[in-house]
Amino acid sequence: MRFDGVCLSVKDIEASKNFYQDLLGLEIEHDWEENVGFKGVNFALQQYFERIIGIPEENITRRPNNMELVFEADDFDGFITKLRSYPNVELVRDVFVQPWGQKVVHIYDLDGHIIEVGEKYLHVLQRLIADGMSVEEIEKQYGVPVADIEKYLNGEW
């Protein structure tokens, strides 16, 4: 068995499709009117979700706040600038630094699903090293094993 992907219930497939394309830069792999899948992420949007899973629409919970979709941005600061200009995006939590040194932001999508966008972890490590930290100091301060830090830095992760 293998994990095949995530499918989110959405009220308006066109609005949600545009949100994920425009704000997060995802590319469409397939567009089947009520179902849209995105390239390279095993992620889809589904309108009329109740028909797919066989429960009444009123039992589909909106804004459950119990999971998140996680994205890494190559240009985190550029993403934040774009986010600030995007209409009607509600913040869950504004930009902050995770305990392991990564800058992230949490937002709601149009249907109340939580999205985390963080700076690329390789960039976090490169920033910490440029600030004068050794891999051993990063391990001690942030709890990331040296072997994993080296995998990231060598492009093996």
Side-chain angles (χ1 to χ4, degrees), residues 17 24-25 36 42 57 65 76 79 87 107 109 114 141 149:
K17 176 176 70 174
L24 297 173
V36 173
N42 289 345
E57 182 180 4
N65 293 319
F76 182 77
F79 172 77
I107 61 174
D109 76 359
I114 297 174
Q141 183 165 341
I149 294 168

Side-chain angles (χ1 to χ4, degrees), residues 116-134:
E116 174 185 287
V117 177
E119 67 179 316
K120 198 169 190 172
Y121 196 64
L122 173 61
H123 298 170
V124 174
L125 295 174
Q126 290 169 333
R127 177 172 41 83
L128 296 174
I129 289 170
D131 288 346
M133 291 183 80
S134 68

